[in-house]
Amino acid sequence: MSEGVKLIANNKKAYHDYFIEETYETGIALHGTEVKSLRMGKCSIKESFVRIENGEVFIYGMHISPYEKGNIFNKDPLRVRKLLLHRGEINKMTGKIAEKGYTLVPLRVYFKGSLAKVEIGLAKGKKLYDKRQDIAKKDQRREAEKEFKVRNLA
């Protein structure tokens, strides 16, 4: 990652379940204590998903733990949050999602400078046999690295 980027949450499962075709960097509309909680790394996007409604993009199921010192100012940890994108990007995504099999998936949450960002991916679902092929490729690569390591040590 480049300088000034601090990773908060990563969605490894998305890469396992989907073919990621395009990625978009979006801003996220947060309330005060949510930003503090994010700075402490208290975020999960494992079960989250993205929807486009009335020309606006929202993320559902993103869990930001309540800030311990926030008392009455804390918001619901699973509330729906708005993602900030340009109109042209939203229109492009809407056109792609209209095609069969495409969806929007959050990939990672990070700070870029002082701004909280969410990277979302335009994804197409994998079938079971695709997942098996990926696992087989990963095993082959691991075996090759192991073999290479053994040869270099001898």
Side-chain angles (χ1 to χ4, degrees):
M1 277 191 233
S2 61
E3 271 189 51
V5 175
K6 180 186 172 218
L7 184 66
I8 300 164
N10 200 358
N11 191 356
K12 292 180 184 175
K13 195 171 195 280
Y15 291 100
H16 184 263
D17 292 341
Y18 300 98
F19 292 114
I20 309 297
E21 297 192 1
E22 289 182 52
T23 60
Y24 298 92
E25 181 180 74
T26 69
I28 184 168
L30 297 170
H31 291 285
T33 56
E34 290 177 325
V35 178
K36 291 181 179 187
S37 195
L38 274 182
R39 288 213 184 276
M40 293 172 61
K42 308 267 186 174
C43 177
S44 173
I45 55 171
K46 281 191 174 93
E47 299 296 320
S48 59
F49 58 96
V50 179
R51 277 205 186 131
I52 299 176
E53 297 171 357
N54 301 327
E56 294 181 332
V57 184
F58 295 96
I59 186 166
Y60 292 81
M62 178 179 176
H63 188 278
I64 298 178
S65 299
Y67 184 59
E68 292 133 14
K69 300 176 181 102
N71 58 39
I72 62 167
F73 300 109
N74 284 332
K75 298 284 182 182
D76 177 30
L78 288 172
R79 76 178 181 86
V80 178
R81 294 171 180 89
K82 185 176 177 181
L83 297 179
L84 310 171
L85 282 154
H86 291 283
R87 175 69 46 212
E89 290 176 316
I90 295 172
N91 292 340
K92 185 177 176 184
M93 280 189 240
T94 305
K96 282 283 195 181
I97 290 174
E99 294 178 28
K100 189 172 188 256
Y102 281 100
T103 187
L104 290 172
V105 184
L107 301 174
R108 59 191 185 122
V109 179
Y110 55 95
F111 275 104
K112 189 173 186 180
S114 63
L115 303 174
K117 300 284 185 179
V118 178
E119 183 177 64
I120 60 174
L122 185 66
K124 192 169 189 126
K126 285 185 181 178
K127 303 280 189 251
L128 182 62
Y129 56 84
D130 291 328
K131 292 179 191 177
R132 286 183 185 150
Q133 287 173 350
D134 282 355
I135 292 169
K137 284 179 189 174
K138 195 184 290 183
D139 287 345
Q140 285 177 340
R141 191 178 71 239
R142 198 176 294 130
E143 287 294 324
E145 287 173 0
K146 190 176 182 182
E147 198 66 34
F148 182 74
K149 191 175 181 181
V150 169
R151 283 185 189 160
N152 284 346
L153 291 175

